[in-house]
Amino acid sequence: MRPRIIIVGAGFGGIAAAQALRTADADIVLIDRTNHHLFQPLLYQVAGAALSPADIATANRALLRRNRNTRILMAEASGVDAAARELCLADGRRLPFDYLILATGAAYSFFGNDQWREHAYVLKSIDDALAIRAALLSAFERAEQCDDPAERQRLLTFAVVGGGPTGVELAGTIAELARTTLARDFASIDPRRARVVLCEMGDRILTAFDPPLSQSAREMLESLGVEVRTGEAVKAIDERGLNVGDQRIDAAAVLWAAGTEARPAAKWLAADAAKNGAVKVMPDCSIPGHPTIFAIGDVASFDAGDGPLPGLAPVAKQQGKFVGKLIAARVAGRSAPERFRYRDYGTMAVIGRSRAVAEIAGLKLKGFIAWLAWSLVHLMLLVDFRSRVSVYVHWAWSWFTYGRGARLLTGYAPEPGEKPRTAGLPEIEAEPAE
Amino acid sequence: MRPRIIIVGAGFGGIAAAQALRTADADIVLIDRTNHHLFQPLLYQVAGAALSPADIATANRALLRRNRNTRILMAEASGVDAAARELCLADGRRLPFDYLILATGAAYSFFGNDQWREHAYVLKSIDDALAIRAALLSAFERAEQCDDPAERQRLLTFAVVGGGPTGVELAGTIAELARTTLARDFASIDPRRARVVLCEMGDRILTAFDPPLSQSAREMLESLGVEVRTGEAVKAIDERGLNVGDQRIDAAAVLWAAGTEARPAAKWLAADAAKNGAVKVMPDCSIPGHPTIFAIGDVASFDAGDGPLPGLAPVAKQQGKFVGKLIAARVAGRSAPERFRYRDYGTMAVIGRSRAVAEIAGLKLKGFIAWLAWSLVHLMLLVDFRSRVSVYVHWAWSWFTYGRGARLLTGYAPEPGEKPRTAGLPEIEAEPAE
């Protein structure tokens, strides 16, 4: 019987592993809670009504159509029985494995303030992005028909918490939506007067970059009209806004991009975890004591010598490819690569429609040239060609017309913190799978 | 003070009226419950995961950006006070008008069996289309992991009720999704064995066409693998399928495309209505006794001499243009056109990815040439260029690769019959608007 390899998660890590394993003489099962691979770096553009979900997501079955040895199950994993070598699913089923790759990623953390989940939007999935989009567009529609000046101002105020790349990208895109796209589309309100506030607890935004680049990014944001507030922590978030430092900001929507925590692989394996819950892994990405169980991407903490690798897409992708090749070699009886090495192609954060900051191979770039680099790298990271063409068309149109391609308000946006109704997740009786 | 013109509904009729009025010396208000204009003829392609919502819908504010005399309100109308010349909104506000154009369209009717609404999907809005898409894609995912053969067969059975163009298009697209797009994407199930049943109460499908074309359409559907059942009425619909004639069909989803009824303009005005509730209008599309109140499109019943005009997009579009020009002429003190004449460019129904039936100017077309005509006409009907380019890209890709561009399962699909949470609809206090 052929070896069984289970991959949990169809993000950058899981898909890269599946691709590296596609010619292996093994039976591979890819498990994901959704039916699609999502290009998360561009998710903020769906939230900002610039791109459609289908521009940045691809059905897993379409993506892996040529992987003859791979089966896809839309299901949710809930634990690992390492001794029995079985993956436990949320519906009770247990799937046996010879090799297991956990690539389940990370989720947002509210630093213990879980009550804020009810009132703040996060950005991790397509549904999250559509909820934000609906909140933004409907705020302007409501403000247009609002007679109370204080309420109108609240409806035209948006707060983003977290000065990392996600927060910076969100703040920039909201500012552009208000000041460029919607600018002349209303009669009673002036969208250009919308207030976008980016709150960062630390003393500067984009702490992963050199301080001068952080400062450039801040200036670019400010030139887009974003108010950047550093050095104060958020004290409270409610349905009408938030309290940051000792100030009250009434807002139509609060977007939380301030902290992530890894999904529970470490707990599942009773293994050592980093501060954010990510499971510490060996140089070959395996779990200590479990040479056939691997963790990659945001769910793992890989010590690169000078600290853990960051939770970035290229890290997950390279680790996925590495682990895939490693397992393929073992299955084929060949010598396997022993140690993962990350090739750092740089870090980037985009600000608005044409500016960015980037650190690539020691070069520090800012402005339009950084944006070009950013867009090239991201378009090449897109996993399938169709998305690239589609995204090119939509971006080019957006670029030339300042238009927003996907400014639709549809009715099924969840309230912040609402449990997503996981439509489509099969409800199977707890039968042993074979 | 300039005359005030209110247009209710941003469909084909309402938008055409607004465009015809864009240079009029008047203040125009366009009211719609959503923020977008929807190209309904292609909605079935969103339901079938071939197109994205943004490919066929455009934000009203973007569409009418250059209409300087037009204001847009996202709100819901609930009645007309014809004596006071005021439009009543659902939130209690009343908007005065000098001219009123009702273009609110139609909704699906269950012929009195409203309890079926809970169990059947309809196709009228983007949310409806996404609900159907989710039902289709998740049925295959569930079937893939289902061990019970009877349940698995139910999950691979889809029933469409109604043999008009919408039902035919839906049945064809589901059959193609199963037999072509998904055909090789699953390991435990064979999607090609999916059963698609089209149920029509009358003795043939597409009764608006000549009988030979109905027969051709039936044969094309059957060659796609659709079972066409005519001459039997649906007796019951429940959460596991339907009863048609004396047969029980267990199905994953029942799609209802069998009857429409106009929205309540006739009731609002206590005016005579046709059988489907559409308000009977004069030759200039005004309501009898109310020369400044007009009804166009599916909400109106216009007697063209040999019966009422059908509820088709070109009818609504031409009537909108006519009424817009009429009001513009009156406002300018010019002589106004007196009587609407419909130019019949033909009727078409598409079957699958490359076939259709069409009757144009007396010509009866079928097969690929009819499909060419259909696609040309529909692409020209798309109201803005961006959508055309976007749709071209997606269609061309789909065509050449048999792929499906928008095969995404996202979590917020409503259950059938669930009241859409009208996100974004402003909740305004009942203050008099000015």
Side-chain angles (χ1 to χ4, degrees):
Chain A
M1 209 168 92
R2 310 212 295 179
R4 309 168 93 126
I5 307 166
I6 297 182
I7 303 171
V8 187
F12 286 108
I15 293 292
Q19 298 295 42
L21 280 161
R22 57 190 289 257
T23 53
D25 189 17
D27 292 319
I28 300 163
V29 177
L30 176 75
I31 294 179
D32 194 273
R33 295 184 306 173
T34 73
N35 78 331
H36 52 272
H37 166 74
L38 173 62
F39 191 79
Q40 285 194 44
L42 288 180
L43 198 52
Y44 79 96
Q45 290 220 3
V46 174
L51 290 179
S52 287
D55 291 330
I56 63 163
T58 308
N60 294 328
R61 294 184 187 279
L63 209 46
L64 301 180
R65 182 174 288 142
R66 293 201 183 79
N67 294 39
R68 299 182 149 281
N69 60 359
T70 304
R71 207 189 147 184
I72 295 173
L73 293 184
M74 192 174 140
E76 180 162 7
S78 60
V80 181
D81 184 335
R85 304 247 288 242
E86 287 179 336
L87 177 76
C88 306
L89 299 184
D91 55 39
R93 284 180 295 165
R94 297 166 73 92
L95 304 179
F97 63 84
D98 296 297
Y99 297 90
L100 175 67
I101 304 175
L102 296 170
T104 43
Y108 277 99
S109 158
F110 286 81
F111 305 135
N113 296 300
D114 278 336
Q115 68 278 12
W116 294 349
R117 262 184 214 283
E118 258 192 82
H119 305 295
Y121 294 87
V122 297
L123 186 66
K124 200 76 182 138
S125 68
I126 288 175
D127 295 316
D128 293 338
L130 295 178
I132 292 174
R133 180 178 84 180
L136 296 175
L137 295 178
S138 66
F140 287 95
E141 293 290 346
R142 289 175 198 235
E144 171 78 345
Q145 302 184 56
C146 180
D147 293 322
D148 173 3
E151 176 65 0
R152 196 184 314 131
Q153 187 51 50
R154 182 186 81 83
L155 289 170
L156 293 175
T157 302
F158 306 93
V160 180
V161 182
T166 303
V168 166
E169 287 158 1
L170 269 173
T173 204
I174 297 172
E176 277 193 334
L177 181 68
R179 279 147 203 278
T180 307
T181 309
L182 304 182
R184 286 172 314 221
D185 280 3
F186 291 81
S188 300
I189 61 168
D190 183 358
R192 288 168 300 185
R193 298 250 216 90
R195 203 179 153 207
V196 183
V197 186
L198 177 63
C199 304
E200 163 58 41
M201 187 169 71
D203 61 355
R204 62 186 174 103
I205 60 173
L206 296 181
T207 50
F209 293 75
D210 259 19
L213 278 185
S214 293
Q215 182 57 26
S216 298
R218 180 174 189 144
E219 287 161 10
M220 287 184 227
L221 279 172
E222 286 167 346
S223 77
L224 279 181
V226 175
E227 289 172 44
V228 181
R229 304 173 56 107
T230 47
E232 289 168 320
V234 167
K235 297 276 158 56
I237 303 178
D238 55 68
E239 68 275 4
R240 295 183 60 80
L242 76 171
N243 294 356
V244 54
D246 53 13
Q247 204 191 335
R248 168 71 188 175
I249 301 178
D250 283 340
V254 177
L255 281 55
W256 180 268
T260 58
E261 62 192 2
R263 294 199 190 277
K267 290 211 196 84
W268 290 354
L269 296 157
D272 277 348
K275 219 171 45 161
N276 66 348
V279 60
K280 293 185 177 177
V281 295
M282 306 288 285
D284 68 352
C285 296
S286 66
I287 309 294
H290 300 280
T292 60
I293 300 178
F294 300 82
I296 57 176
D298 292 4
V299 78
S301 181
F302 186 98
D303 186 349
D306 57 348
L309 289 178
L312 295 178
V315 173
K317 203 169 172 178
Q318 291 180 28
Q319 287 178 336
K321 188 171 178 182
F322 169 86
V323 171
K325 285 173 133 182
L326 184 154
I327 297 177
R330 286 205 198 152
V331 158
R334 294 192 310 262
S335 68
E338 287 183 0
R339 162 183 302 272
F340 170 70
R341 292 182 76 94
Y342 174 54
R343 299 173 81 115
D344 191 343
Y345 291 116
T347 321
M348 303 161 206
V350 68
I351 299 142
R353 68 197 288 274
S354 54
R355 283 167 286 194
V357 291
E359 285 185 22
I360 307 176
L363 280 179
K364 297 185 206 321
L365 305 173
K366 65 180 189 184
F368 187 66
I369 184 140
W371 181 84
L372 276 182
W374 168 87
S375 51
L376 228 79
V377 167
H378 280 76
L379 282 166
M380 287 307 120
L381 273 179
L382 273 171
V383 298
D384 80 304
F385 182 62
R386 180 197 60 83
S387 278
R388 281 186 210 152
V389 173
S390 172
V391 171
Y392 273 132
V393 170
H394 282 112
W395 271 6
W397 194 257
S398 245
W399 173 262
F400 287 114
T401 64
Y402 279 87
R404 286 279 160 156
R407 281 172 59 180
L408 304 183
L409 253 171
T410 47
Y412 294 101
E415 300 298 313
E418 185 179 326
K419 256 182 141 50
R421 206 177 335 149
T422 40
L425 213 60
E427 289 140 16
I428 316 286
E429 297 309 312
E431 304 265 1
E434 193 36 40
Chain B
M1 208 167 93
R2 309 213 295 179
R4 309 169 92 126
I5 307 166
I6 298 182
I7 303 171
V8 187
F12 287 107
I15 293 293
Q19 298 294 42
L21 280 162
R22 57 190 289 256
T23 53
D25 188 17
D27 292 319
I28 301 163
V29 177
L30 175 76
I31 294 178
D32 194 274
R33 295 183 306 174
T34 73
N35 79 331
H36 52 272
H37 167 75
L38 173 61
F39 191 79
Q40 285 195 44
L42 288 180
L43 198 51
Y44 79 97
Q45 290 219 4
V46 175
L51 291 178
S52 286
D55 290 330
I56 63 163
T58 308
N60 294 328
R61 294 184 187 279
L63 207 47
L64 301 180
R65 181 174 289 143
R66 292 201 184 80
N67 295 39
R68 299 184 149 280
N69 59 359
T70 303
R71 205 186 149 188
I72 295 173
L73 293 184
M74 191 173 142
E76 180 161 7
S78 60
V80 181
D81 184 336
R85 304 247 286 241
E86 286 179 335
L87 177 76
C88 307
L89 299 184
D91 55 38
R93 283 179 294 164
R94 297 165 74 91
L95 304 180
F97 63 82
D98 295 296
Y99 297 91
L100 175 66
I101 305 175
L102 297 170
T104 42
Y108 277 99
S109 158
F110 286 81
F111 305 137
N113 295 299
D114 278 336
Q115 69 278 15
W116 294 349
R117 261 182 214 285
E118 257 193 80
H119 305 295
Y121 293 87
V122 296
L123 186 67
K124 200 74 183 142
S125 68
I126 287 175
D127 295 316
D128 292 337
L130 295 178
I132 292 174
R133 180 178 84 180
L136 296 175
L137 295 178
S138 66
F140 287 95
E141 294 290 345
R142 289 176 199 233
E144 172 77 344
Q145 302 185 55
C146 180
D147 293 321
D148 172 4
E151 177 66 0
R152 197 186 313 131
Q153 186 50 51
R154 182 186 80 85
L155 289 170
L156 293 175
T157 302
F158 306 93
V160 180
V161 183
T166 302
V168 165
E169 287 159 0
L170 269 174
T173 204
I174 297 172
E176 276 192 337
L177 181 68
R179 280 146 202 278
T180 308
T181 310
L182 303 181
R184 286 170 315 215
D185 281 2
F186 290 81
S188 300
I189 61 167
D190 183 357
R192 288 168 301 185
R193 300 251 216 89
R195 203 179 153 208
V196 184
V197 186
L198 177 63
C199 304
E200 163 57 40
M201 185 167 72
D203 61 356
R204 62 186 174 102
I205 60 173
L206 296 181
T207 49
F209 293 75
D210 259 20
L213 278 186
S214 293
Q215 183 58 27
S216 298
R218 181 174 189 144
E219 285 161 11
M220 287 184 228
L221 278 173
E222 286 167 347
S223 76
L224 279 181
V226 176
E227 289 172 43
V228 181
R229 304 173 57 105
T230 47
E232 289 168 320
V234 166
K235 297 278 158 59
I237 302 178
D238 55 66
E239 68 275 3
R240 296 182 60 80
L242 77 170
N243 294 356
V244 54
D246 54 13
Q247 202 190 336
R248 168 69 188 179
I249 302 178
D250 284 339
V254 177
L255 280 56
W256 181 268
T260 57
E261 62 190 3
R263 295 198 189 276
K267 289 210 195 87
W268 290 354
L269 296 158
D272 277 348
K275 219 171 45 163
N276 66 347
V279 61
K280 293 185 176 176
V281 295
M282 306 287 284
D284 68 353
C285 297
S286 65
I287 309 294
H290 301 280
T292 60
I293 301 179
F294 300 82
I296 57 176
D298 293 4
V299 78
S301 180
F302 186 98
D303 187 350
D306 57 350
L309 290 178
L312 295 178
V315 173
K317 204 170 171 178
Q318 292 180 28
Q319 287 178 337
K321 188 171 178 183
F322 169 87
V323 170
K325 285 174 132 180
L326 184 154
I327 297 176
R330 284 204 200 154
V331 158
R334 294 192 310 264
S335 69
E338 286 182 3
R339 162 183 300 273
F340 170 70
R341 292 180 77 94
Y342 174 53
R343 297 172 83 114
D344 191 342
Y345 290 116
T347 320
M348 302 161 207
V350 68
I351 298 141
R353 66 196 290 271
S354 53
R355 284 167 285 193
V357 291
E359 287 185 22
I360 307 178
L363 280 178
K364 298 187 208 317
L365 306 172
K366 67 180 185 184
F368 187 65
I369 184 139
W371 181 85
L372 276 182
W374 168 87
S375 51
L376 227 79
V377 166
H378 280 78
L379 282 166
M380 287 307 119
L381 273 179
L382 274 170
V383 296
D384 80 304
F385 182 60
R386 180 196 61 80
S387 279
R388 282 186 209 151
V389 172
S390 171
V391 172
Y392 273 130
V393 169
H394 282 113
W395 272 6
W397 195 257
S398 245
W399 173 263
F400 286 114
T401 64
Y402 280 87
R404 286 279 160 153
R407 283 171 57 180
L408 304 183
L409 253 171
T410 46
Y412 294 103
E415 301 297 313
E418 185 177 325
K419 257 181 141 48
R421 207 177 335 146
T422 40
L425 213 60
E427 289 138 16
I428 316 286
E429 298 307 314
E431 304 263 3
E434 193 38 38

